[in-house]
């Protein structure tokens, strides 16, 4: 019975990728926190960790002190980079990293994969799910490095 309840709970709090990408491109910490709660309530998978890591890095920009910002950014970076290392051909993870790297302050020195990821995303765009493609097209309109 407990396993059934857990399964139903996970299904009830699942998140859509379209919704996720709107949140990560937005500038509202409350929607970031809501999405983090939804993601944290889902079964832990590689995708869950990558998406969570990117959101944590995004959230770090809303912290009050530089120390808090840096600690949170590093926590998210560790999650995302670990998943990219384990899944180097995953275009969605590279897109998450591109979003973060293009918007990260230069002082963090987290821009080393921008060109590589933009090329990878362009080369593998056609194999992605429609909701991810739509998010990429939307993001590319403001991106300095991703043109489709």
């Amino acid at each position: 019975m407990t396993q059934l309840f857990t399964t139903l709970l996970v299904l009830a709090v699942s998140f859509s990728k379209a919704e996720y990408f709107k949140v990560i491109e937005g500038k509202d910490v409350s929607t970031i926190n809501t999405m983090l709660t939804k993601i944290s309530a889902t079964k832990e998978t590689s995708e869950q960790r990558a998406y969570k890591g990117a959101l944590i890095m995004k959230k770090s920009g809303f912290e009050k002190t530089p120390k808090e910002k840096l600690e949170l950014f590093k926590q998210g970076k560790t999650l995302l980079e670990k998943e990219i290392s384990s899944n180097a051909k995953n275009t969605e993870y590279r897109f998450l990293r591109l979003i973060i790297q293009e918007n990260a302050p230069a002082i963090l020195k987290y821009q080393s994969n921008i060109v590589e990821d933009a090329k990878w995303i362009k080369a593998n765009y056609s194999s992605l799910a429609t909701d991810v493609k739509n998010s990429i097209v939307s993001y590319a309109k403001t991106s300095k490095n991703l043109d489709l």
Side-chain angles (χ1 to χ4, degrees):
M1 185 70 169
T2 303
Q3 186 177 13
L4 174 63
F5 177 74
T6 303
T7 302
L8 291 173
L9 180 62
V10 167
L11 291 173
V13 294
S14 65
F15 64 96
S16 77
K17 290 182 182 182
E19 177 187 14
Y20 174 88
F21 283 112
K22 284 181 185 176
V23 170
I24 201 160
E25 290 182 40
K27 297 182 186 322
D28 180 27
V29 72
S30 65
T31 57
I32 292 170
N33 286 332
T34 300
M35 184 57 69
L36 275 169
T37 300
K38 285 182 179 182
I39 290 172
S40 295
T42 63
K43 181 180 177 183
E44 187 170 312
T45 63
S46 174
E47 181 176 76
Q48 186 255 22
R49 288 186 297 270
Y51 276 66
K52 186 176 178 180
L55 265 185
I56 290 170
M57 285 189 280
K58 173 77 173 188
K59 181 180 173 179
S60 72
F62 294 96
E63 293 299 312
K64 293 190 186 328
T65 68
K67 181 182 178 191
E68 291 171 327
K69 289 178 186 224
L70 185 58
E71 287 175 0
L72 202 56
F73 189 87
K74 285 181 176 179
Q75 177 189 350
K77 180 182 172 186
T78 299
L79 283 172
L80 180 58
E81 289 296 331
K82 182 178 179 188
E83 295 313 316
I84 292 172
S85 293
S86 300
N87 303 280
K89 295 183 179 184
N90 188 304
T91 305
E92 285 183 56
Y93 298 177
R94 287 172 174 253
F95 178 50
L96 294 173
R97 181 168 65 186
L98 177 70
I99 292 170
I100 299 300
Q101 286 192 353
E102 280 195 331
N103 295 287
I107 195 166
L108 293 172
K109 298 181 181 172
Y110 190 59
Q111 284 91 16
S112 61
N113 305 99
I114 291 174
V115 173
E116 166 194 348
D117 287 345
K119 285 180 183 177
W120 183 270
I121 293 163
K122 281 179 71 170
N124 295 283
Y125 173 81
S126 63
S127 66
L128 295 169
T130 302
D131 52 353
V132 179
K133 284 181 181 178
N134 292 339
S135 297
I136 290 172
V137 168
S138 175
Y139 182 76
K141 292 175 184 173
T142 59
S143 172
K144 295 177 183 170
N145 300 284
L146 183 62
D147 56 343
L148 298 175

